[in-house]
Each structure stands twice: as structure tokens, then as C-alpha cells.
Amino acid sequence: MSDFENLSGNDKELQDFLMIEKQKAQVNAQIHEFNEICWEKCIGKPSTKLDHATETCLSNCVDRFIDTSLLITQRFAQMLQKRGGSGDL
């Protein structure tokens, strides 16, 4: 059971607000994670300007990170659907 299910029906606005804030926190955590990963992978030495190869590397790295995250999310959704949404993984 999620923390949000414990709120009464009168707290719908609060529930919606908390859900949005939780989603924002998850997005920020993902951004921080791929920033770290892609920085380590693509930035050899910091400079005042990104060269074309570094810019391409960063773009590709972020794209692959997003693709992988979406694939994992879709797989979990498929698994839940196959199990009837019971939540048992």
C-alpha cells in the first residue's frame, strides 16, 4: 500500500500535490544520475567550450539513458499486466 492511500477522500488536492512532488523528485534523481554517468563517459577534461565530439557523446549518452529507462519501465508494466496487476514481481 502506498503512503498516499492512507489519506482520506477529502485530501484529494493534497494527494495530487504529493504525487506531483514525488514525480518531480524522481525526475531530478534521474537527471542527476545521467549527468554523473555521461560526464564520466564523455568529458575528458573540462574546458570553456564543448567540442563537437563531446557534444555528440553527451547527446547520445543521454538518449541511451532515456531509452533504457523507458524500456525498463515498459517491461515492468508488461510484467504487471501479465500477472493481473497484483503487484507480485
Side-chain angles (χ1 to χ4, degrees):
M1 182 184 302
S2 85
D3 295 337
F4 302 124
E5 292 172 5
N6 294 331
L7 297 174
S8 70
N10 296 338
D11 294 330
K12 178 78 171 121
E13 189 174 319
L14 177 60
Q15 184 179 5
D16 291 345
F17 174 78
L18 291 174
M19 186 62 72
I20 290 169
E21 290 302 310
K22 183 178 178 182
Q23 290 171 348
K24 285 181 187 178
Q26 290 171 334
V27 167
N28 283 333
Q30 280 194 316
I31 289 170
H32 179 72
E33 186 177 353
F34 69 68
N35 276 343
E36 275 190 40
I37 291 168
C38 296
W39 179 272
E40 292 295 322
K41 179 175 176 53
C42 298
I43 307 293
K45 58 180 179 176
S47 66
T48 58
K49 188 175 174 184
L50 292 178
D51 61 14
H52 180 68
T54 303
E55 190 174 333
T56 300
C57 179
L58 287 169
S59 178
N60 288 338
C61 181
V62 170
D63 287 346
R64 296 302 70 81
F65 188 90
I66 291 170
D67 290 345
T68 302
S69 295
L70 289 173
L71 178 69
I72 291 169
T73 301
Q74 290 168 352
R75 286 291 209 177
F76 278 127
Q78 288 173 354
M79 289 172 63
L80 287 174
Q81 274 185 333
K82 285 180 182 177
R83 295 182 183 253
S86 66
D88 298 334
L89 291 179

